[in-house]
Short mmCIF file of all heavy atoms in Angstrom, two decimals:
data_model
loop_
_atom_site.label_atom_id
_atom_site.label_comp_id
_atom_site.label_asym_id
_atom_site.label_seq_id
_atom_site.Cartn_x
_atom_site.Cartn_y
_atom_site.Cartn_z
N ARG A 300 1.67 5.52 -18.33
CA ARG A 300 1.61 6.41 -19.49
C ARG A 300 3.03 6.25 -20.31
O ARG A 300 3.97 5.97 -19.70
CB ARG A 300 1.49 7.84 -19.18
CG ARG A 300 0.14 8.16 -18.50
CD ARG A 300 0.10 9.65 -18.27
NE ARG A 300 -1.07 10.14 -17.45
CZ ARG A 300 -2.15 10.40 -18.14
NH1 ARG A 300 -2.39 10.21 -19.36
NH2 ARG A 300 -3.28 10.76 -17.33
N ASP A 301 2.98 6.49 -21.60
CA ASP A 301 4.15 6.49 -22.39
C ASP A 301 4.68 7.96 -22.44
O ASP A 301 4.15 8.85 -21.76
CB ASP A 301 3.94 5.96 -23.83
CG ASP A 301 2.95 6.77 -24.60
OD1 ASP A 301 2.62 7.93 -24.33
OD2 ASP A 301 2.58 6.20 -25.72
N ASN A 302 5.72 8.16 -23.27
CA ASN A 302 6.41 9.48 -23.39
C ASN A 302 5.48 10.53 -23.95
O ASN A 302 5.80 11.74 -23.76
CB ASN A 302 7.77 9.44 -24.10
CG ASN A 302 7.66 8.89 -25.43
OD1 ASN A 302 6.48 8.64 -25.95
ND2 ASN A 302 8.85 8.75 -26.16
N THR A 303 4.38 10.27 -24.65
CA THR A 303 3.45 11.15 -25.15
C THR A 303 2.36 11.50 -24.15
O THR A 303 1.46 12.38 -24.46
CB THR A 303 2.80 10.76 -26.47
OG1 THR A 303 1.99 9.57 -26.15
CG2 THR A 303 3.89 10.35 -27.48
N GLY A 304 2.41 10.73 -23.01
CA GLY A 304 1.22 10.92 -22.04
C GLY A 304 0.03 9.96 -22.33
O GLY A 304 -0.97 9.89 -21.54
N ALA A 305 0.16 9.15 -23.50
CA ALA A 305 -0.95 8.23 -23.71
C ALA A 305 -0.94 7.01 -22.78
O ALA A 305 0.17 6.60 -22.39
CB ALA A 305 -0.82 7.87 -25.19
N PRO A 306 -2.08 6.42 -22.34
CA PRO A 306 -2.22 5.33 -21.52
C PRO A 306 -1.52 4.10 -22.19
O PRO A 306 -1.72 4.06 -23.45
CB PRO A 306 -3.55 5.14 -21.19
CG PRO A 306 -4.41 5.96 -22.24
CD PRO A 306 -3.47 6.97 -22.78
N ILE A 307 -0.84 3.19 -21.44
CA ILE A 307 -0.38 2.04 -21.93
C ILE A 307 -1.18 0.87 -21.53
O ILE A 307 -1.48 0.61 -20.36
CB ILE A 307 1.09 1.92 -21.49
CG1 ILE A 307 1.99 2.97 -22.00
CG2 ILE A 307 1.71 0.51 -21.99
CD1 ILE A 307 3.47 2.94 -21.65
N THR A 308 -1.70 0.05 -22.53
CA THR A 308 -2.54 -0.97 -22.18
C THR A 308 -1.75 -2.31 -22.26
O THR A 308 -0.69 -2.35 -22.85
CB THR A 308 -3.72 -1.14 -23.12
OG1 THR A 308 -3.12 -1.28 -24.52
CG2 THR A 308 -4.54 0.15 -23.26
N ALA A 309 -2.40 -3.29 -21.58
CA ALA A 309 -1.75 -4.71 -21.55
C ALA A 309 -0.39 -4.86 -21.09
O ALA A 309 0.41 -5.64 -21.69
CB ALA A 309 -1.96 -5.27 -22.98
N LYS A 310 0.01 -3.98 -20.22
CA LYS A 310 1.34 -3.92 -19.66
C LYS A 310 1.26 -4.61 -18.30
O LYS A 310 0.57 -4.21 -17.38
CB LYS A 310 1.87 -2.55 -19.46
CG LYS A 310 3.27 -2.48 -19.11
CD LYS A 310 4.23 -2.89 -20.11
CE LYS A 310 5.68 -2.52 -19.89
NZ LYS A 310 6.46 -2.76 -21.07
N ARG A 311 2.10 -5.68 -18.09
CA ARG A 311 2.14 -6.43 -16.72
C ARG A 311 3.19 -5.70 -15.87
O ARG A 311 4.28 -5.59 -16.26
CB ARG A 311 2.38 -7.93 -17.12
CG ARG A 311 2.32 -8.71 -15.71
CD ARG A 311 2.15 -10.19 -16.00
NE ARG A 311 0.80 -10.48 -16.43
CZ ARG A 311 -0.33 -10.62 -15.61
NH1 ARG A 311 -0.15 -10.27 -14.31
NH2 ARG A 311 -1.53 -10.88 -16.05
N ILE A 312 2.74 -5.55 -14.65
CA ILE A 312 3.60 -5.20 -13.60
C ILE A 312 3.59 -6.06 -12.43
O ILE A 312 2.46 -6.71 -12.21
CB ILE A 312 3.45 -3.70 -13.15
CG1 ILE A 312 2.06 -3.49 -12.55
CG2 ILE A 312 3.51 -2.75 -14.37
CD1 ILE A 312 2.04 -2.27 -11.77
N ARG A 313 4.48 -6.00 -11.45
CA ARG A 313 4.52 -6.78 -10.27
C ARG A 313 5.03 -5.97 -9.20
O ARG A 313 6.18 -5.30 -9.25
CB ARG A 313 5.56 -7.99 -10.49
CG ARG A 313 5.49 -8.86 -9.24
CD ARG A 313 6.49 -10.08 -9.64
NE ARG A 313 6.62 -11.00 -8.43
CZ ARG A 313 5.78 -11.87 -8.09
NH1 ARG A 313 4.81 -12.11 -8.90
NH2 ARG A 313 6.02 -12.62 -6.96
N LEU A 314 4.26 -5.96 -8.10
CA LEU A 314 4.54 -4.89 -7.02
C LEU A 314 5.62 -5.67 -6.15
O LEU A 314 5.68 -6.85 -6.07
CB LEU A 314 3.27 -4.73 -6.17
CG LEU A 314 2.07 -4.15 -6.84
CD1 LEU A 314 0.84 -4.02 -5.91
CD2 LEU A 314 2.45 -2.82 -7.37
N GLU A 315 6.41 -4.83 -5.40
CA GLU A 315 7.23 -5.21 -4.42
C GLU A 315 6.99 -4.44 -3.04
O GLU A 315 6.68 -3.22 -3.19
CB GLU A 315 8.76 -4.97 -4.74
CG GLU A 315 9.12 -5.82 -5.96
CD GLU A 315 10.53 -5.44 -6.44
OE1 GLU A 315 11.08 -4.55 -5.95
OE2 GLU A 315 10.86 -6.17 -7.41
N PHE A 316 7.07 -5.18 -1.91
CA PHE A 316 6.85 -4.38 -0.71
C PHE A 316 8.21 -4.37 0.11
O PHE A 316 8.86 -5.34 0.30
CB PHE A 316 5.84 -5.20 0.12
CG PHE A 316 4.56 -5.44 -0.51
CD1 PHE A 316 4.31 -6.45 -1.33
CD2 PHE A 316 3.54 -4.45 -0.37
CE1 PHE A 316 3.04 -6.53 -2.00
CE2 PHE A 316 2.28 -4.58 -1.10
CZ PHE A 316 2.01 -5.58 -1.93
N TYR A 317 8.42 -3.23 0.63
CA TYR A 317 9.74 -3.08 1.57
C TYR A 317 9.26 -2.43 2.92
O TYR A 317 8.46 -1.55 2.89
CB TYR A 317 10.59 -2.05 0.76
CG TYR A 317 11.31 -2.68 -0.43
CD1 TYR A 317 10.62 -2.64 -1.59
CD2 TYR A 317 12.58 -3.21 -0.33
CE1 TYR A 317 11.31 -3.21 -2.75
CE2 TYR A 317 13.13 -3.62 -1.36
CZ TYR A 317 12.56 -3.73 -2.62
OH TYR A 317 13.18 -4.27 -3.73
N ASP A 318 10.05 -2.79 3.92
CA ASP A 318 9.91 -2.14 5.20
C ASP A 318 11.28 -1.66 5.54
O ASP A 318 12.15 -1.70 4.74
CB ASP A 318 9.21 -3.14 6.28
CG ASP A 318 10.13 -4.20 6.65
OD1 ASP A 318 11.18 -4.40 6.18
OD2 ASP A 318 9.63 -5.08 7.44
N GLU A 319 11.46 -1.32 6.81
CA GLU A 319 12.87 -0.71 7.19
C GLU A 319 13.95 -1.79 7.07
O GLU A 319 15.15 -1.39 6.95
CB GLU A 319 12.78 -0.06 8.61
CG GLU A 319 12.59 -1.22 9.70
CD GLU A 319 11.13 -1.46 9.95
OE1 GLU A 319 10.15 -1.02 9.27
OE2 GLU A 319 10.85 -2.53 10.86
N ASN A 320 13.57 -3.05 7.02
CA ASN A 320 14.58 -4.11 6.84
C ASN A 320 14.77 -4.57 5.38
O ASN A 320 15.59 -5.52 5.08
CB ASN A 320 14.16 -5.37 7.64
CG ASN A 320 13.97 -5.04 9.08
OD1 ASN A 320 14.85 -4.35 9.66
ND2 ASN A 320 12.97 -5.47 9.66
N GLY A 321 14.08 -3.91 4.47
CA GLY A 321 14.34 -4.31 3.06
C GLY A 321 13.03 -5.05 2.44
O GLY A 321 11.90 -4.83 3.05
N LEU A 322 13.25 -5.88 1.39
CA LEU A 322 12.17 -6.55 0.66
C LEU A 322 11.46 -7.48 1.65
O LEU A 322 12.10 -8.33 2.34
CB LEU A 322 12.78 -7.29 -0.50
CG LEU A 322 11.86 -7.92 -1.42
CD1 LEU A 322 10.96 -6.96 -2.09
CD2 LEU A 322 12.63 -8.80 -2.47
N LEU A 323 10.11 -7.38 1.64
CA LEU A 323 9.29 -8.33 2.40
C LEU A 323 9.20 -9.67 1.67
O LEU A 323 8.98 -9.67 0.44
CB LEU A 323 7.90 -7.87 2.61
CG LEU A 323 7.74 -6.55 3.68
CD1 LEU A 323 6.29 -6.31 3.75
CD2 LEU A 323 8.29 -6.89 4.89
N SER A 324 9.24 -10.79 2.33
CA SER A 324 8.95 -12.03 1.78
C SER A 324 7.55 -12.19 1.48
O SER A 324 6.66 -11.64 2.24
CB SER A 324 9.58 -13.20 2.58
OG SER A 324 8.83 -13.42 3.74
N SER A 325 7.20 -13.12 0.65
CA SER A 325 5.71 -13.33 0.25
C SER A 325 4.92 -13.78 1.50
O SER A 325 3.67 -13.72 1.32
CB SER A 325 5.60 -14.21 -0.88
OG SER A 325 6.15 -15.52 -0.56
N LYS A 326 5.55 -14.40 2.50
CA LYS A 326 4.62 -14.77 3.71
C LYS A 326 4.17 -13.54 4.49
O LYS A 326 3.28 -13.75 5.27
CB LYS A 326 5.39 -15.71 4.57
CG LYS A 326 6.60 -14.99 5.40
CD LYS A 326 7.18 -15.99 6.38
CE LYS A 326 8.08 -15.54 7.44
NZ LYS A 326 9.33 -14.95 6.92
N ASN A 327 4.69 -12.40 4.19
CA ASN A 327 4.23 -11.17 4.86
C ASN A 327 3.15 -10.36 4.29
O ASN A 327 2.78 -9.22 4.70
CB ASN A 327 5.43 -10.28 5.27
CG ASN A 327 6.39 -10.88 6.19
OD1 ASN A 327 5.97 -11.33 7.26
ND2 ASN A 327 7.68 -10.88 5.92
N TYR A 328 2.63 -10.86 3.02
CA TYR A 328 1.61 -10.12 2.44
C TYR A 328 0.80 -11.14 1.56
O TYR A 328 1.20 -12.20 1.27
CB TYR A 328 2.16 -9.01 1.46
CG TYR A 328 3.15 -9.52 0.38
CD1 TYR A 328 2.75 -10.07 -0.81
CD2 TYR A 328 4.43 -9.35 0.60
CE1 TYR A 328 3.49 -10.39 -1.71
CE2 TYR A 328 5.37 -9.82 -0.39
CZ TYR A 328 4.92 -10.39 -1.55
OH TYR A 328 5.80 -10.75 -2.50
N SER A 329 -0.37 -10.79 1.11
CA SER A 329 -1.30 -11.56 0.22
C SER A 329 -2.03 -10.63 -0.57
O SER A 329 -2.08 -9.43 -0.45
CB SER A 329 -2.10 -12.52 1.11
OG SER A 329 -3.11 -11.79 1.80
N GLY A 330 -2.66 -11.15 -1.53
CA GLY A 330 -3.40 -10.41 -2.59
C GLY A 330 -2.74 -10.61 -3.88
O GLY A 330 -1.60 -11.06 -4.06
N LYS A 331 -3.46 -10.06 -4.92
CA LYS A 331 -2.97 -10.02 -6.22
C LYS A 331 -1.82 -8.96 -6.38
O LYS A 331 -2.15 -7.74 -6.11
CB LYS A 331 -4.09 -9.65 -7.24
CG LYS A 331 -3.69 -9.49 -8.60
CD LYS A 331 -4.91 -9.10 -9.55
CE LYS A 331 -5.17 -7.58 -9.20
NZ LYS A 331 -6.33 -6.89 -9.91
N ILE A 332 -0.57 -9.31 -6.67
CA ILE A 332 0.56 -8.39 -6.66
C ILE A 332 1.05 -8.17 -8.12
O ILE A 332 1.91 -7.38 -8.34
CB ILE A 332 1.73 -8.79 -5.79
CG1 ILE A 332 2.37 -10.04 -6.14
CG2 ILE A 332 1.26 -8.67 -4.29
CD1 ILE A 332 3.76 -10.20 -5.58
N SER A 333 0.46 -8.90 -8.98
CA SER A 333 0.82 -8.87 -10.38
C SER A 333 -0.44 -8.68 -11.27
O SER A 333 -1.39 -9.43 -11.09
CB SER A 333 1.62 -10.14 -10.82
OG SER A 333 2.00 -10.00 -12.17
N ALA A 334 -0.35 -7.68 -12.21
CA ALA A 334 -1.53 -7.53 -12.96
C ALA A 334 -1.26 -6.72 -14.23
O ALA A 334 0.00 -6.09 -14.31
CB ALA A 334 -2.64 -6.64 -12.12
N GLU A 335 -2.16 -6.78 -15.15
CA GLU A 335 -1.96 -6.10 -16.44
C GLU A 335 -2.81 -4.85 -16.57
O GLU A 335 -4.00 -4.90 -16.02
CB GLU A 335 -2.37 -7.11 -17.44
CG GLU A 335 -1.80 -6.94 -18.93
CD GLU A 335 -1.99 -8.05 -19.75
OE1 GLU A 335 -2.94 -7.96 -20.45
OE2 GLU A 335 -1.14 -8.98 -19.77
N SER A 336 -2.28 -3.81 -17.26
CA SER A 336 -3.13 -2.53 -17.34
C SER A 336 -4.28 -2.77 -18.25
O SER A 336 -4.16 -3.50 -19.24
CB SER A 336 -2.23 -1.31 -17.79
OG SER A 336 -1.53 -1.77 -19.05
N ASP A 337 -5.35 -2.10 -18.00
CA ASP A 337 -6.60 -2.25 -18.79
C ASP A 337 -6.57 -1.28 -20.03
O ASP A 337 -5.48 -0.65 -20.20
CB ASP A 337 -7.91 -2.03 -17.99
CG ASP A 337 -8.06 -0.53 -17.44
OD1 ASP A 337 -7.28 0.39 -17.98
OD2 ASP A 337 -8.83 -0.36 -16.55
N LYS A 338 -7.57 -1.11 -20.77
CA LYS A 338 -7.65 -0.37 -22.05
C LYS A 338 -7.36 1.09 -21.77
O LYS A 338 -7.10 1.90 -22.62
CB LYS A 338 -8.93 -0.52 -22.83
CG LYS A 338 -10.24 -0.01 -22.09
CD LYS A 338 -11.35 -0.39 -22.91
CE LYS A 338 -12.66 0.17 -22.58
NZ LYS A 338 -12.89 0.50 -21.14
N ASN A 339 -7.62 1.58 -20.48
CA ASN A 339 -7.24 2.93 -20.08
C ASN A 339 -5.84 3.12 -19.47
O ASN A 339 -5.62 4.24 -18.94
CB ASN A 339 -8.40 3.48 -19.12
CG ASN A 339 -9.82 3.35 -19.74
OD1 ASN A 339 -9.93 3.80 -20.87
ND2 ASN A 339 -10.73 2.81 -19.05
N GLY A 340 -5.16 2.03 -19.45
CA GLY A 340 -3.73 2.08 -18.81
C GLY A 340 -3.83 1.92 -17.25
O GLY A 340 -2.80 2.30 -16.64
N VAL A 341 -4.92 1.61 -16.76
CA VAL A 341 -5.13 1.56 -15.36
C VAL A 341 -5.03 0.10 -14.73
O VAL A 341 -5.43 -0.78 -15.35
CB VAL A 341 -6.53 2.16 -14.86
CG1 VAL A 341 -6.77 2.04 -13.39
CG2 VAL A 341 -6.65 3.63 -15.30
N ILE A 342 -4.41 0.00 -13.64
CA ILE A 342 -4.34 -1.21 -12.80
C ILE A 342 -4.85 -0.89 -11.37
O ILE A 342 -4.32 0.01 -10.80
CB ILE A 342 -3.00 -1.78 -12.74
CG1 ILE A 342 -2.30 -1.89 -14.16
CG2 ILE A 342 -2.90 -3.17 -12.04
CD1 ILE A 342 -0.88 -2.26 -14.18
N VAL A 343 -5.66 -1.74 -10.89
CA VAL A 343 -6.22 -1.61 -9.57
C VAL A 343 -5.81 -2.80 -8.66
O VAL A 343 -5.99 -3.94 -9.15
CB VAL A 343 -7.75 -1.44 -9.53
CG1 VAL A 343 -8.20 -1.28 -8.01
CG2 VAL A 343 -8.12 -0.22 -10.34
#
Side-chain angles (χ1 to χ4, degrees):
R300 295 184 185 276
D301 66 15
N302 59 1
T303 68
I307 296 181
T308 61
K310 183 70 158 187
R311 181 158 288 283
I312 65 161
R313 183 179 176 86
L314 304 178
E315 295 174 354
F316 299 90
Y317 287 83
D318 67 4
E319 66 278 356
N320 301 316
L322 183 65
L323 289 181
S324 73
S325 59
K326 71 176 194 290
N327 290 312
Y328 58 82
S329 67
K331 177 185 73 179
I332 63 158
S333 177
E335 207 171 86
S336 56
D337 67 15
K338 65 183 188 333
N339 301 312
V341 174
I342 308 173
V343 179

